[in-house]
């Protein structure tokens, strides 16, 4: 499929499957989304993932838990993320892992999971 305003030079050099993105389009769409929402504070982060086992291998998983002082079960909460990723990706979902307690998270989120994956 050819998009009218998006061009790719050296298309024959891209090893498929590959992810291609257009930074300028992402920046403009983000600005427009904030404008439509009226404020960045009204937006909630969401990340789409490609769950194809052949494309993704999890390298590292980091869990941040919005916890009160004295809370000791950070790793138990992070276990849910590990179980989810392993369920979706099989062995590719196994990664080095850490969990930390923090005083607060953006948007008052109870948990934030950061992952680093490798393609291929």
């Amino acid at each position: 499929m050819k998009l009218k305003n998006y061009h790719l030079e050296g298309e024959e050099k891209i090893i498929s499957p590959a992810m291609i993105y257009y930074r300028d389009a992402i920046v403009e769409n983000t600005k427009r989304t904030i404008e439509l929402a009226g404020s960045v504070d009204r937006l909630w982060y969401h990340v789409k993932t490609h769950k194809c086992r052949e494309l993704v291998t999890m390298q590292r998983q980091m869990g941040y838990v919005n916890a009160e002082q004295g809370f000791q079960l950070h790793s138990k909460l992070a276990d849910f993320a590990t179980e989810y990723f392993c369920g979706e990706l099989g062995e590719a979902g196994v990664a080095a892992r850490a969990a930390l307690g923090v005083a607060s998270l953006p948007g008052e989120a109870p948990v934030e999971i950061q992952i680093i994956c490798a393609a291929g």
Side-chain angles (χ1 to χ4, degrees):
M1 179 172 91
K2 297 282 184 185
L3 298 174
K4 184 177 180 182
N5 295 318
Y6 297 94
H7 305 283
L8 180 65
E9 293 181 22
E11 183 176 336
E12 69 283 352
K13 295 179 184 177
I14 295 177
I15 300 170
S16 185
M19 183 178 113
I20 300 171
Y21 67 93
Y22 298 94
R23 185 184 185 285
D24 294 341
I26 293 170
V27 170
E28 284 305 312
N29 287 340
T30 302
K31 287 179 183 178
R32 181 72 178 127
T33 301
I34 293 168
E35 181 183 307
L36 288 170
S39 167
V40 72
D41 297 328
R42 296 186 65 198
L43 300 177
W44 188 262
Y45 298 99
H46 179 75
V47 177
K48 293 283 186 184
T49 60
H50 195 294
K51 298 173 185 166
C52 180
R53 290 177 180 88
E54 292 78 22
L55 295 179
V56 178
T57 302
M58 182 113 29
Q59 302 292 309
R60 180 173 179 235
Q61 176 187 318
M62 186 72 179
Y64 299 92
V65 180
N66 187 351
E68 295 181 359
Q69 188 172 353
F71 184 77
Q72 298 292 314
L73 301 174
H74 306 88
S75 63
K76 294 290 184 192
L77 287 171
D79 286 345
F80 288 111
T82 299
E83 290 170 12
Y84 172 80
F85 290 122
C86 287
E88 291 293 323
L89 300 171
E91 287 296 315
V94 177
R97 189 184 95 161
L100 297 173
V102 296
S104 67
L105 288 169
E108 298 179 20
V111 177
E112 179 178 312
I113 303 297
Q114 176 191 62
I115 59 171
I116 298 173
C117 296

